[in-house]
Amino acid sequence: MKDLFDLTGRIALVTGASRGIGESIARLLASRGAHVIVSSRKIDACQAVADSIVADAGKASAFACHVGEMAQIDAIFAHIKSEFGQIDILVNNAAANPYYGHILDTDQAAFDKTVEVNIRGYFFMSTAAGKMMREQGGGVILNTASVNGIVAGDKQGIYSITKAAVISMTKAFAKECGPLNIRVNALLPGLTDTKFASALTGNDKVLSMALRAIPLGRVADPDEMAGTVLYLVSDASSYTTGACVIVDGGMLA
């Protein structure tokens, strides 16, 4: 029987892959045979993850890209086209959340940074990958959104707004790209133990309140997000597009 989770021969770009959920995704996709391009803003951190994957007998390389910068988006896809000639999987996982506080006190700098990475970055990464996928006959795009895109997080207003936009973006791309054999889905993580979520997990009072709302009673490990991503980018989900899969320990149930 065919292994539906086998990614041998596929080229996968994972953004925000130097730590946290992105790193877990990169490691799992490589373990299933993909060549993973590990990307984030800092090349040294990317290279360390790529070297570790290679040391574990996987295939990986590193390329720095700030998805909030259009020139850097152009550069990474020019590199992929020149080096590999294809892109089979794009995981939009890099994100910004510079402000934690009351929505009325959001300043323009925090607003602009969150929007440029979480919305503009995801959009133009997806169009760049999608154009290559259209030429080659198909591919898969996976967006990391958030449960905050469904129920806004307290003191996480602009971040929640951008993640709601990512959910809508996922559905819009899925609808228009389906005829091109490009599938587009989203992962909606709940509270996960990452540096990115440290404003929540590092505050005992906030964490205690959050755990009371999670039926499983604990924070997720980043590795617990990667399995859902593997399903959504593999042939196991070949008839799934426009799906937004919630992985939150039951919080929204």
Side-chain angles (χ1 to χ4, degrees), residues 24-39:
S24 291
I25 292 169
R27 291 184 182 280
L28 182 57
L29 300 191
S31 76
R32 300 304 301 162
H35 180 111
V36 177
I37 302 160
V38 178
S39 183

Side-chain angles (χ1 to χ4, degrees), residues 7-13 33-37 61 76-90 128-140:
L7 302 178
T8 300
R10 300 186 197 183
I11 306 301
L13 168 60
H35 180 111
V36 177
I37 302 160
S61 54
I76 194 168
F77 282 98
H79 165 75
I80 291 169
K81 193 161 191 176
S82 172
E83 186 74 15
F84 303 101
Q86 68 186 75
I87 180 161
D88 304 290
I89 298 165
L90 167 65
K131 288 173 184 176
M132 287 185 64
M133 292 172 180
R134 178 172 60 187
E135 291 178 3
Q136 68 197 31
V140 183

Side-chain angles (χ1 to χ4, degrees), residues 108-184:
Q108 186 176 344
F111 178 95
D112 289 347
K113 181 176 181 180
T114 311
V115 168
E116 78 176 10
V117 173
N118 297 1
I119 300 180
R120 194 182 73 184
Y122 277 39
F123 185 90
F124 286 106
M125 289 289 291
S126 296
T127 58
K131 288 173 184 176
M132 287 185 64
M133 292 172 180
R134 178 172 60 187
E135 291 178 3
Q136 68 197 31
V140 183
I141 297 171
L142 185 287
N143 295 319
T144 301
S146 171
V147 293
N148 287 11
I150 297 176
V151 177
D154 184 43
K155 297 182 178 61
Q156 301 168 74
I158 185 55
Y159 174 77
S160 298
I161 290 166
T162 62
K163 289 303 184 178
V166 170
I167 292 170
S168 181
M169 187 190 309
T170 298
K171 295 177 180 180
F173 272 83
K175 181 168 286 188
E176 296 196 41
C177 295
L180 302 173
N181 194 34
I182 300 170
R183 297 190 298 107
V184 187

